Structures are given as C-alpha cells and as structure tokens.
C-alpha cells in the first residue's frame, strides 16, 4: 500500500489548518453560508436532511486495518456508531456536528486519510477494481496509476474549478468490475503488440440524468504519457465544457455535442502542446517509486498445499455456499480474495457498525495481511487470504454478522441513502432494497435465480447506478408521494448497457411485486441456466411489459 | 409455474380544487445540522411549536430577526396539514425530516 511521504503529510496538515480556520470564521459569522458552502464541499462536508454528512476518501478503495479502526473510532466518538460505504469506494458518516469536523479530519490525518476530492467540481477520488493486484487474469495492478493520478490531481490549480465534478475509474483486467464505461474518463490497462503496457482511454461516460456509455478516445496510450494525456482531456473540457447549465456541464454532454472525432482532435492538439512543454509526465524514476508501493506482498504460505479448505468445503454446505459466491480466484496458488457482503438480511446496504469495523480490522490483520478493499458495490474485500484460513474466517465473520453468502445474487443490492438521509432524493431507497431482499430470502431460491444485480436510486442523480442494474429502480416524486420506475437490461461491465424503463411507475408496495413478477418470468423464459441479463437481451422488453402491465 | 402479476397501478384522479395550506418555516442548525422550526420568537426542535401562516413572506421576514450570524441554514417554507390537532408536514420528505430516517440502524 502507498505510504505518505513528508510532503503528503505537510499538504494534508495545511489543508486541515485552512479548513479549521474556515469553520471558525463561519461559526463566528465572519463568513456567510453562501461563502462557506463551496469551502465545506471541498472538504467533503454536505448538509443533508437531518444533519451534516462527511464523506471520506478511500483512494482506489484500498485501506488498512489501522485505517478501519480509525473509521470505527470516528463512528463511535463523533457519529452514531456506524458508517456507510458508498458506490465510489468512499465512506460517509451521516451525523457529525460541523463543530467536530476539523477534529475528525485531524484524527483521520493521523492514519493518512482525508476528505479531499470527495465533493465539489474537481477531479474526484479515482476508483479502481476491488481485486486490483490479485485478480488472476489482470494485466497490471491499476492502483499505482490511480495513486499517480491522485498525486497529480490533488489541488491541481487548473482543475479546481471545473464546469462539474469529474470522475475517473481504472481497471487492469478485461473483465470490468470498476464500471469504467460509466465514468468521465475510464482507463483500461492493455498491452500493445510489443507487449508494452499502456491504456485504452474512454471518455464521456456517466450516469445521472443523462446516462451515456463512454467512447474510446484512444486505443493505446503509452504508460509514460498517462498524465499528459489526462491533462489534455481535462484542459479541453475545462475550456469548452458548459458552465451555463449544471445539467449540461459534464464532459459527456460536451463529447455528445461536439462529437467524439472533433473532441479527439481538440484533445490531440492540446496533448501536442503539453508534450512540447514536457513537464507533465512523470520522470520514470518517480513513476517506479510510486508503482513499487503496489507490488505483491510476501505470502508466507506460498507453495503450501491446502487441505483444510477442501475438507471443510465438502463438509459444510453453508460454508460451501459462501465460498461459491464470495470467494474469488487469486494470482497466487492456494490464496483467495473474499467479498465480505455488507448486505445482510434486514441490513442497510453499505452500512457497518463500529463494532463490525473493529472486527473486520482484526480479521484483516489475521487473514489478509492487514489490507481491506471497499467495492463500488458497497461491499468489502479481503484480498490476501490463505485458503486454509477461510473456514475460520467464515466462522469469525458469522460472529459479527458479516458472513452473508450473497455476493452477486439478488439480495446483494446497491442502494443509495435515498430520502431517509439525502437532501436531493425524491424517494426512499433503503426500505425498497430491504423489502426485495426479504422477499427473496431463501438461499436456494437466490441460487436458482443466479447472478442478478439490482440497484436502487432515490433520485435521478443515480448514486446507486440504477441505469446499469440488471434490474434498476428509480425513486421519483409524484406530488410529494414516493413512486418507483422500473428499468431492465442495464449492465456496468465490459458489455455495458443502459437499462430501459418498463412503463408507468409503481408505488412502494407494488414495486416489490413488480420485481418478483419480473424475476419469476425470467425463470420461466431462461434457457440453459442463462443469467437474467442474458435472458433479457435475448427476449427483449415485451414479455416483461406484458407481465407487468397486461 | 404461476407468475405473480401485480395490479396495474390505479390512475389517481387529480384534484382540481386548490387548498390553501398553512406554511411553516424550517431550517437546519448551523452547528449541528439539526432540523429546527421557526416559532415566531425563535427556533424549536418540535414542529408542534412552529408558527403557522398562510403568508410565507411574512414568516420569512419575521424570522430575519432570529437568524444571528446566519446560524440557521437551508431555510425553507413547508406545507403543513392538521390532523386531529397534530401538525403534519404534507410531503414524505418533510415527514422524514421531522421524525428521522424511516429505517433504524441495527
């Protein structure tokens, strides 16, 4: 994992001092709310329905057991004993007092955490594949490049006031777990014919009120030119992106309005100028110094044959179910990565208590070399587990209520905080997710249904990525009353697609029935155990509309 | 296999007549972010204590005297209904703001 150097610590301390002074001036009345709002947003502080919300960055979703312990401490001391993992690999607290936030940030800085780039019209925290570095078929670990982007983009003077927020995602695997096609910039690590590492660069993807699949702007960008090319994209956007209408200000609108060819030409011209200046791309030694933080750790059981795991797998069907759904192949033989589902029955997707955080931290030290990942699907991952440790890990996770065997299944639902917390929401998301999970709370039925991704957003801003759910649900407001639109056929992976609305919206009770009817129809229509999304792609919307609306 | 077919949503008839709802002024406390309501002579945590008026401008103008250093933020007028002598916000959003998240953690 990346370790801060003296410069990182220094800029973080300066930022905290600056924000401490801004809060003090606001509380004394020296700053108006209008003046203060953009400043607090630059530090991850939102005002929600009931309280402030503080969003903390987890760069590329990788964090340590000590950082998890700090999250637990913050939850206990300054919040209400829990935190919420978001769909951008961050964590947020729903109840901090403004007066406590500077102190919270000081405490976070002790473990190299902060709230920078979690809000505002800047380059946000870069997200990455949660299996980065350990995925079996990965070309290269994307986190080193994400760290390079973090260092380049943090407080970049040219990109602090962009037309709108700007999100970058990166993966090193051809199987896209990071939804790169739905980001302002998506980066896929690829190799050219000479086996040199570089990036396929996609631009102008996004969700929200205008969902668009990103377009390839460069098939192969040499590794050494990552920053100069990103800078060219950002510079072209910063110059030409619309500032007259916030709903038209994202880069996706610019790319659609100008056309990808014109935009590419503009970017290439900018890039040439930047390359002439010759000061943006990292010198090779600096790049190597950062990438070295992300080499594989020393696995003490490397080469050891695993017996305990397979014996236990055969003997315990609950354990076997958990393994089947939550375990992932690993680069190193007899090691595995494991998803820890934050979607227990009746739980709140992404929420985790301080006690569970402490439990996870201890287990990470015991079984995952002290490393944890946050996923954009609101789960956690232990990336380095020796297979013989899996039975004990599973039992210990059960003790803290986190051994749910549902990764990728119908109850592994993404849900935004919705109208229960969010000032922007039109309808509640969490109770809908809970009701659906409860409706399908039968392990055998869930297994029969197979992979099915449901995503529930409380408003058009699409924090839960409803457009790319196999089944997506969007909360809308109908004269002050909650209603829900149903969408089918979305996908966030390498076969990206945007879901289509089935028809008229449903009320809160009807939407659960509508999901069940949709799933039941899929089970009658599917062939050869195909997934829901494959059946939908084969048969189209018509039979689903028929069963839903008659 | 039988397929559960949900009832088609009923088309609700839109009421044409306009009702003049009482208005209350709500905000969040600057220090804590807590929800507060304007009482006519200050701010309270309970909607029950809120000053009601059909004239929103008048409520806002009264409240100006009670916003020292802008220590209450996000001012908003909300529609209030009365049921069995209880004050009830008209929208789901304001109901949730009043009583907290509808889901309880743990």
């Amino acid at each position: 994992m990346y370790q801060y150097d003296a410069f990182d610590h220094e800029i973080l301390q300066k930022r905290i001092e600056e924000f401490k002074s801004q809060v003090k001036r606001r509380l004394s009345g020296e700053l108006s709310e209008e003046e203060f709002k953009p400043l607090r947003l630059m530090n991850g502080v939102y005002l929600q329905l009931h309280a402030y919300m503080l969003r903390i960055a987890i760069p590329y979703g990788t964090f340590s057991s000590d950082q998890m312990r700090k999250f637990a401490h913050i939850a206990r001391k300054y919040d209400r004993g829990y935190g919420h993992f978001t769909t951008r690999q961050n964590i947020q607290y729903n109840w901090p007092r403004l007066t406590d936030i500077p102190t919270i940030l000081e405490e976070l800085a002790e473990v190299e955490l902060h709230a920078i780039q979690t809000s505002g019209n800047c380059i946000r925290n870069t997200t990455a594949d949660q299996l980065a570095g350990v995925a079996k078929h990965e070309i290269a670990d994307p986190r080193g490049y994400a760290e390079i982007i973090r260092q380049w983009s943090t407080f970049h003077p040219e990109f602090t006031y962009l037309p709108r927020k700007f999100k970058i995602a990166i993966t090193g695997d051809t199987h896209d777990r990071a939804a790169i096609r739905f980001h302002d910039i998506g980066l896929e690590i690829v190799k050219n014919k000479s086996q040199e590492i570089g990036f396929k660069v996609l631009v102008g993807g996004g969700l929200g009120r205008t969902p668009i699949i990103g377009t390839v702007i460069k098939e192969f960008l040499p590794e050494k030119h990552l920053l100069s090319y990103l800078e060219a994209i950002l510079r072209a956007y910063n110059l030409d992106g619309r500032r007259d209408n916030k709903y038209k200000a994202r880069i996706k609108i610019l790319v659609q309005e100008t056309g990808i060819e014109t935009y590419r030409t503009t970017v290439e011209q900018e890039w040439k100028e930047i390359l002439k200046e010759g000061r943006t791309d990292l010198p090779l030694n600096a790049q190597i110094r950062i990438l070295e933080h992300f080499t594989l750790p020393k696995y003490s059981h490397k080469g050891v044959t695993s017996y305990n795991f397979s014996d236990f797998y055969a003997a315990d069907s609950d354990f076997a179910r958990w393994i089947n759904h939550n375990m992932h192949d690993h680069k190193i033989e007899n090691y595995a990565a494991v998803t820890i589902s934050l979607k227990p029955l009746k739980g709140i997707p992404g929420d985790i208590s301080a006690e569970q955080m402490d439990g996870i931290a201890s287990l990470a030290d015991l079984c995952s070399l002290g490393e944890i990942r946050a996923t954009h699907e609101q789960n956690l991952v232990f990336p380095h587990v020796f297979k013989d440790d899996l039975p004990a890990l599973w039992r210990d996770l059960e003790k803290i209520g986190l051994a749910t065997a549902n990764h990728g299944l119908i109850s592994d639902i993404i849900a935004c905080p919705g109208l229960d917390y969010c000032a922007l929401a039109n309808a509640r998301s969490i109770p809908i997710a809970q009701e659906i999970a409860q409706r399908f709370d039968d392990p055998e039925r869930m297994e029969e249904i197979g992979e099915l991704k449901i995503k529930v957003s409380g408003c058009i801003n699409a924090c839960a990525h409803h457009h790319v759910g196999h089944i997506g649900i969007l909360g809308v407001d109908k004269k002050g009353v909650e209603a829900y639109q149903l969408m089918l056929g979305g996908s966030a992976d390498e076969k990206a697609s945007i879901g289509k609305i089935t028809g008229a919206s449903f009320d809160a009770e009807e939407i659960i029935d509508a999901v069940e009817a949709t799933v039941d129809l899929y089970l009658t229509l599917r062939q050869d155990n195909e997934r829901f999304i494959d059946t939908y792609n084969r048969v189209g919307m018509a039979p689903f509309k028929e069963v839903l609306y008659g | 296999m039988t397929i559960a077919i949900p009832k088609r949503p009923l088309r609700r008839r839109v009421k044409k007549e306009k009702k003049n709802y009482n208005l209350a002024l709500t905000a969040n406390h600057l220090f804590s972010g807590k929800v507060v309501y304007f009482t006519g002579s200050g701010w309270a945590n309970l909607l029950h204590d809120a000053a009601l008026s059909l004239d929103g401008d008048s409520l806002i103008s009264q409240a100006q005297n009670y916003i020292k250093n802008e220590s209450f933020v996000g001012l908003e007028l909300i529609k209030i209904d009365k049921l069995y002598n209880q004050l009830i916000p008209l929208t789901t959003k304001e109901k949730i703001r009043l009583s907290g998240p509808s889901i309880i953690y743990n």
Side-chain angles (χ1 to χ4, degrees), chain A residues 165 167 182 206-212 250 252 457 459-463 465-467 474 487 498:
Chain A
K165 58 188 169 183
K167 298 175 180 177
F182 294 98
L207 296 168
R209 65 185 60 228
T210 316
I212 293 172
R250 296 291 289 269
K252 59 190 173 186
S457 297
C459 77
I460 194 66
N461 292 304
C463 289
H465 304 177
H466 62 274
H467 298 291
L474 166 64
M487 290 176 196
I498 293 166

Side-chain angles (χ1 to χ4, degrees), chain A residues 330-382:
Chain A
H330 199 280
K331 272 180 183 169
I332 306 298
E333 197 181 357
N334 291 324
Y335 274 81
V338 175
T339 292
I340 297 162
S341 169
L342 297 184
K343 324 285 175 62
L345 184 66
K346 295 182 184 173
I348 296 170
D351 276 18
I352 179 169
S353 71
E355 291 69 32
Q356 288 172 322
M357 290 184 204
D358 278 336
I360 289 290
S362 300
L363 290 172
D365 283 338
L366 283 170
C367 307
S368 184
L369 305 177
E371 191 179 322
I372 308 161
R373 309 282 175 82
T375 82
H376 88 271
E377 293 182 327
Q378 297 178 298
N379 292 315
L380 300 175
V381 165
F382 277 1

Side-chain angles (χ1 to χ4, degrees), chain A residues 130-416:
Chain A
Q130 63 267 23
L131 299 183
V134 300
K136 200 168 183 178
H137 303 293
E138 178 181 82
I139 292 171
D141 188 338
R143 293 172 303 155
Y145 303 103
E147 176 58 29
I148 288 170
I149 294 168
R150 185 191 73 80
Q151 296 192 19
W152 161 76
S153 63
T154 300
F155 306 143
H156 194 305
E158 196 175 330
F159 306 135
T160 303
Y161 295 97
L162 291 167
R164 275 293 272 146
K165 58 188 169 183
F166 201 92
K167 298 175 180 177
I168 302 174
I170 180 166
T171 180
D173 202 333
T174 48
H175 177 42
D176 181 7
R177 286 173 290 264
I180 64 165
R181 284 152 187 84
F182 294 98
H183 281 74
D184 296 294
I185 291 177
L187 296 169
E188 180 185 341
I189 299 174
V190 290
K191 282 184 177 171
N192 64 9
K193 284 177 186 169
S194 311
Q195 295 301 300
E196 293 164 328
I197 281 188
F199 304 92
K200 183 191 275 191
V201 185
L202 294 97
V203 71
L207 296 168
R209 65 185 60 228
T210 316
I212 293 172
I213 298 172
T215 312
V216 176
I217 187 168
K218 201 159 193 65
E219 282 290 347
F220 185 83
L221 172 69
E223 182 191 21
K224 64 180 179 182
H225 290 313
L226 174 64
L227 292 187
S228 57
Y229 196 74
L230 292 187
E231 188 143 315
I233 292 176
L234 262 298
R235 191 172 283 179
Y237 166 57
N238 205 13
L239 284 170
D240 297 334
R242 287 178 62 171
R243 292 175 187 267
D244 60 323
N245 180 345
K246 70 182 278 195
Y247 302 119
K248 303 278 185 194
R250 296 291 289 269
I251 191 174
K252 59 190 173 186
I253 304 296
L254 176 65
V255 173
Q256 292 299 307
E257 285 183 352
T258 58
I260 186 64
E261 292 308 328
T262 307
Y263 187 70
R264 183 183 288 121
T265 305
T266 310
V267 169
E268 291 289 330
Q269 283 166 354
E270 282 292 346
W271 191 36
K272 271 184 197 162
E273 293 302 315
I274 292 167
L275 288 176
K276 266 189 220 165
E277 292 167 15
R279 57 183 173 80
T280 302
D281 284 319
L282 272 186
L284 187 61
N285 60 348
Q287 180 175 303
I288 290 170
R289 183 176 52 79
I290 293 172
L291 295 184
E292 275 176 350
H293 287 278
F294 299 93
T295 51
L296 277 175
K298 285 179 183 163
Y299 294 103
S300 52
H301 299 287
K302 203 170 170 183
V304 176
T305 308
S306 171
Y307 295 110
N308 187 23
F309 164 72
S310 44
D311 291 350
F312 206 86
Y313 182 86
D316 191 310
S317 60
D318 287 341
F319 174 70
R321 184 174 281 125
W322 183 71
I323 289 296
N324 289 344
H325 298 298
N326 293 35
M327 191 188 85
H328 314 282
D329 288 343
H330 199 280
K331 272 180 183 169
I332 306 298
E333 197 181 357
N334 291 324
Y335 274 81
V338 175
T339 292
I340 297 162
S341 169
L342 297 184
K343 324 285 175 62
L345 184 66
K346 295 182 184 173
I348 296 170
D351 276 18
I352 179 169
S353 71
E355 291 69 32
Q356 288 172 322
M357 290 184 204
D358 278 336
I360 289 290
S362 300
L363 290 172
D365 283 338
L366 283 170
C367 307
S368 184
L369 305 177
E371 191 179 322
I372 308 161
R373 309 282 175 82
T375 82
H376 88 271
E377 293 182 327
Q378 297 178 298
N379 292 315
L380 300 175
V381 165
F382 277 1
H384 313 289
V385 186
F386 178 51
K387 280 190 173 177
D388 267 11
D389 290 339
L390 283 166
L393 172 61
W394 173 68
R395 278 191 296 257
D396 286 340
L397 286 171
E398 266 199 324
K399 288 177 195 162
I400 56 172
L402 293 176
T404 312
N406 66 348
H407 175 59
L409 299 180
I410 192 167
S411 62
D412 184 9
I413 300 169
I414 297 182
C416 68

Side-chain angles (χ1 to χ4, degrees), chain A residues 440-455:
Chain A
F440 292 92
D441 177 36
D442 171 1
E444 285 175 14
R445 190 179 183 196
M446 279 200 281
E447 290 203 352
E448 186 196 359
I449 295 164
E451 183 187 307
L452 208 170
K453 292 177 188 284
I454 298 185
K455 308 186 182 199

